[in-house]
Each structure stands twice: as C-alpha cells, then as structure tokens.
Amino acid sequence: MKVNHVFIISPPFYSHFEPLLALGKSFLNKGKEVTIACTSDFKAQIEEAGLNYYELAISKNKNVEKAETTDQPDSEKERLEEFFASTRIGAVETLITQSRHRQKDMLSEPEELIEKIAEIDQLFAVDLYIVDILSYGVSLSLYALDLPFITFCPPHPNTIPEKNDYYGVPKNWPSAITVQNEKLEELKEVSRQTQENFTKTFNEIIKENTRKNKTIDNAFRLVSPYGIIYNYFDFDENEKDKEMPARIFMGHSFEEENLDPNWQKKIEDYEEKILVTLGTFLSNRADVLEKIIKSCKIYNPNALIIVSAGGQVDKLKKHQSSSVIIEEFIPQKALMKDMDLVIFHGGCNTFTEALFYGKKMVILPFSSDQFNIAYDAERKELAEILDPNNFREKDLVRALVKMKDQLNPELKYWSKISRDRGPDYAVTELLRKLN
C-alpha cells in the first residue's frame, strides 16, 4: 500500500488526542503529509506541530482538560455525574454504568458522520486513515465506505475483546479488587446487551449505507484488516511478524519534555518526590486524593508530594504547604523523570510514562481498562495495587515502603523495551508491513 497522506481522526478526549498527536508527528518525520481531524480545542497544538488541521466533531462527550469543567451538553454532564457516583460504590458498579452509557456517548449521529467522512475522502487524497478504537462511529463509517484505515488502541489491548470475551469486563482482576460473583454476572449480562444493541445498530447502518453485504458479528471487534497499533506493552507475546492484521505494541506514545526552571526550583531540594494523579476524569475524587496526601505525609514527612487535582484544588488547599504542591494541572511528562514514586489510577498514559522512566508505582484502579492494567502491573511486579474505595492510610504507607525497598529487574527490563520503541518504531513497523 502506497502511503503519502495520513488522515488521523481524534476523539475530543485529551488523553487520547495526545498519543495520536505524537503518532502524527512520527508520520510527518517519515515524510508523510499528516492531517488531524478533531474539535477546535486542539487546533493550536496540531498547527504548532506542523500538521494540517481539519475541524470535525465526532462525539457529544468531551474531555479536553478537566472533565467537570469541559463545555458539553447537560445530558453528558449528567452521565458524568452518574459515573462519578458509581465509582464511589465499587468496580463492578462503575463498569456497569460505563457499559450502559456506551451507546449514548460513543455512537453519536452515525449517519451524519458517514456523510462527513465521505466528504473528507472526496476533498482530500487520503491514502490511510488512523482511527481511535473508542471512536466507534468513525470505525463504522470507514468500514461502510470501504476506506483503508488503521486501528489505534490507546487503552489496554483487552479493550478490543477476544471472540468469546465480554466487552468492558476484565479477563482478570487485580487481587486488591474484590468482585462478587452475582455482581460479575450482572456486569456480563449488561455487557452482552450493550454488545447486542451496538452490533444491531452497526449492521442496520451498514445495510443502509453500502451495497455490499458486510454485516459484522461484534461491533466492539470491528478493527482494521491491515493493522492495530497498541499504546502498550506486549506482555503476552502477541506480536507476530507475518499475521494480519499486523499487531504493533509501541510501548509508549509521547515525547519527552523538559521541566521549566520554575518547577525545577520547586523540586530540587527534596531527596524523595512523589507524584499523585488520578487523571482528568477521576481527579473528581477529592476524598481519595485527600487520603493519599495524608498517607504520603505519614510515609515520609520530608518528601515532596505533587498532586494533580483538576477542579478539586479548593477542597484540598488545607493540605498545601512548601512540601505539598496541589495544582489543577501539572506538567506530568516533564516531572515524571524526576519522581521516585508515582501513585495513580491505572490510566494507560500515566502507566506508559512511568514505565518508560522506570518509576515505582502504586495503582488505585477505578474504571474502564484500569483493572486490566493493574492486573498486568501486579503479575509483572511493576506496582502495588490498592482498592481506591477501601484502602486505609496504613495500607498505602505499606505499599510505598514495599515499592521503595524493592529491587525489580522487570521494571528495568520493560523500561528498556519502552525506550527502544515508541511512535517512531510503530510508524516504521507499520509502513514496512503495509509495503
């Protein structure tokens, strides 16, 4: 396949846009013309990187900085509040809520989207589209229009379910998360219904918009026949050189950043530094952030604690001090290399950044693919895992002490794998396999 113009379609989620932007830069470095289509929230970053920008909204749901303050319809805000409430109950309840939300927040106006992408294909000489796995409407459109695309999977690989798996149901759970069989069966049933409804909708749209009989068995397994790029590690040796679609595990998808002088001054006098982040969505859980801060102060009163608090700064400001920095937004990638310990929710971006720099981790998984990531981190002895709703301060202190004292060859091994790979590796491998 001859590839000159790569057209990347990004969802309006900061945590998904950033790795796609890094991937776009790597295509540019290979001499390809690159266009990124998304909402105007990311236009400046795209053009600053020297890439073409095309305005395209593919979802009503948005998260472009802080989830709570992102401008979005009331219906999306209500679903977000329902999600936050479910995280306070437990893992299975959260996944049930997410599954029930899928069709409303991940498949917005699919017929209109097919028309928009058909128009794009007439306007531009596109050789290859890149689509995020969570942009189901885009995958459906490209499939119905029979356009060549690559699937980009920024969350855990199990986000794409195997043939007999349930979408959104972890194949394995980290030991810290207790799951009752009755609730697990309820989650599987909700997942089955969501999959059935999603697939039915997909096939109705496919029949209406294509002359070919190309109906599918499972909408959540609709991926590129050419290749899947995972922003993850090949922990289970699934990357086979001659298989189709090609499976490429890139290890990380970000660019290293330098810390500015002001931040450098803030951190330079501390022997131990701890970074705390629950991601753009889950920073809403101020109760968990507060317990983490208290635990860290018990663990080492002299440590520097840096907290990414999103919209919860005011609720946590009583804990601020010269050694406890609490801000809405922190330069996480630039800070990561100087940290000693990272406490986070198990999000894929933070996981890949921490592992790139070989940082010791404590993971508190709440939702989505975080349970899969926490399970992998636990079995590879890369992190300690705690239940975010049930851990005690002494549990986190114990976990921090254990990670600090642990000499872990696995951490060094996977850090090297990550550094050897990345966006440039993924693009090189993809172009090689497409030729």
Side-chain angles (χ1 to χ4, degrees), residues 198-213:
F198 234 65
T199 304
K200 180 181 178 182
T201 300
F202 267 48
N203 283 329
E204 288 172 353
I205 294 170
I206 289 169
K207 288 176 181 178
E208 291 172 3
N209 290 275
T210 179
R211 296 177 183 175
K212 299 178 181 179
N213 183 18

